[in-house]
């Protein structure tokens, strides 16, 4: 399973030197940069928004994977695109008009993603399958890094893989991903793995490289 993508979540990085941390995971060989946007409303925590994304955009040429944990994503979609997001993922739980939101993300030239909280059924994807580029399956309750993986999502990933058929849609899994939990989600059909605390340990490019390699090694023989 050599082509699983690794998306380090900068939530676990040192925000005091965010651009340097992004450069470091880029050099260490990540595939995407996962940006956790939190609004203090949809989730209890607050992080950053478009101005900060824009200010670190020059730190890496790799795709910026913006995970919007916000209650009203529609009104700022274009702002995120202009700030440099390549993938924009919204939460199904807050989108009254999910079909339209996904169409708008693609019209902006970005890849369109939907995220599902651990308790949210995959049924809401059924009629937007052709609008999707990515499904972000939350394997923790969003809002904080360093939480424990919730194993019930493994079955959900497999169901989503079935629903997608032969569509070219990534299934990305987010929360509690480590070399121990990665194999089960990849086996179920995940093609991209978000990892925060499992990657940003050690504080150096070399340690980030080793941390990502440990995740890649755990899934390479599947
Ligand atoms: C949680 C975020 C995750 C988080 C993952 O709300 O969406 O991206 O940073 O962190 P770990 O890998 O530490 O569970
Ligand atoms: Zn995330």
């Amino acid at each position: 399973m050599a082509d699983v993508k690794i998306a380090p979540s900068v939530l676990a990085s040192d925000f005091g030197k965010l651009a340097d941390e992004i450069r470091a995971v880029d050099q260490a060989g990540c595939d995407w940069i996962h940006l956790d946007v939190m609004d203090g409303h949809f989730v209890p925590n607050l992080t950053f928004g478009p101005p900060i994304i824009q200010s670190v955009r020059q730190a890496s040429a790799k795709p910026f994977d913006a995970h919007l944990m916000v209650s009203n994503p529609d009104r700022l979609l274009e702002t995120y695109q202009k700030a440099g997001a390549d993938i924009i993922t919204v939460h199904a739980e807050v989108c009254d008009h999910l079909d339209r939101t996904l169409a708008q993300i693609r019209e902006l030239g970005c890849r369109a993603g939907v995220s599902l909280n651990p308790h949210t059924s995959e049924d809401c994807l059924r009629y937007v399958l052709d609008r999707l580029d990515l499904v972000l399956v939350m394997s923790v309750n969003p809002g904080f890094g360093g939480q424990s993986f919730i194993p019930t999502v493994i079955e959900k990933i497999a169901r989503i893989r079935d629903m997608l058929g032969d569509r070219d849609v990534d299934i990305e899994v987010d929360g509690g991903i480590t070399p121990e939990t990665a194999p089960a989600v990849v086996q179920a059909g995940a093609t991209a793995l978000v990892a925060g605390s499992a990657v940003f340990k050690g504080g150096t490019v070399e340690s980030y490289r080793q941390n990502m390699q440990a995740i890649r090694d755990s899934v390479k023989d599947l």
Side-chain angles (χ1 to χ4, degrees):
M1 205 58 76
D3 58 351
V4 167
K5 291 172 272 287
I6 307 274
S9 163
V10 301
L11 186 61
S13 74
D14 181 347
F15 278 1
K17 47 174 187 171
L18 183 56
D20 290 341
E21 292 278 62
I22 290 173
R23 265 181 222 108
V25 282
D26 179 319
Q27 281 173 35
C30 74
D31 296 285
W32 298 342
I33 307 290
H34 186 80
L35 299 158
D36 285 308
V37 178
M38 302 187 187
D39 68 349
H41 185 264
F42 175 61
V43 290
N45 208 352
L46 274 168
T47 53
F48 50 78
I52 290 191
I53 294 175
Q54 188 159 15
S55 71
V56 296
R57 180 62 270 198
Q58 31 69 38
S60 170
K62 294 189 176 171
F64 270 22
D65 173 28
H67 175 193
L68 305 189
M69 286 164 274
V70 304
S71 295
N72 293 293
D74 293 296
R75 57 188 181 198
L76 281 181
L77 293 175
E78 189 175 358
T79 314
Y80 284 102
Q81 180 267 325
K82 289 206 164 105
D86 299 287
I87 304 165
I88 299 180
T89 296
V90 295
H91 266 264
E93 298 83 7
V94 296
C95 289
D96 291 332
H97 308 286
L98 186 58
D99 180 88
R100 179 163 63 203
T101 301
L102 293 171
Q104 286 174 341
I105 294 171
R106 279 189 173 170
E107 277 164 24
L108 290 166
C110 296
R111 297 182 69 207
V114 175
S115 186
L116 305 178
N117 277 339
H119 76 280
T120 302
S121 167
E122 67 283 0
D123 288 347
C124 62
L125 303 176
R126 184 163 304 279
Y127 299 103
V128 293
L129 295 174
D130 292 316
R131 297 248 190 246
L132 286 174
D133 298 298
L134 178 143
V135 180
L136 179 60
V137 178
M138 291 309 301
S139 41
V140 297
N141 289 290
F144 303 96
Q147 304 180 80
S148 298
F149 178 83
I150 298 172
T152 50
V153 304
I154 294 167
E155 183 186 326
K156 184 172 11 176
I157 295 163
R159 286 178 190 274
I160 295 169
R161 182 56 34 214
D162 282 348
M163 284 172 81
L164 289 169
D166 58 6
R167 292 175 181 82
D168 182 20
V169 177
D170 275 302
I171 299 180
E172 186 177 26
V173 183
D174 186 1
I177 295 296
T178 65
E180 288 70 44
T181 57
V185 303
V186 171
Q187 195 114 51
T191 56
L193 302 173
V194 177
S197 33
V199 169
F200 284 99
K201 301 185 289 198
T204 63
V205 173
E206 194 43 42
S207 55
Y208 298 164
R209 190 191 312 280
Q210 285 170 12
N211 297 338
M212 284 191 275
Q213 194 56 47
I215 297 172
R216 291 192 204 277
D217 285 349
S218 76
V219 301
K220 74 173 189 300
D221 295 327
L222 297 179

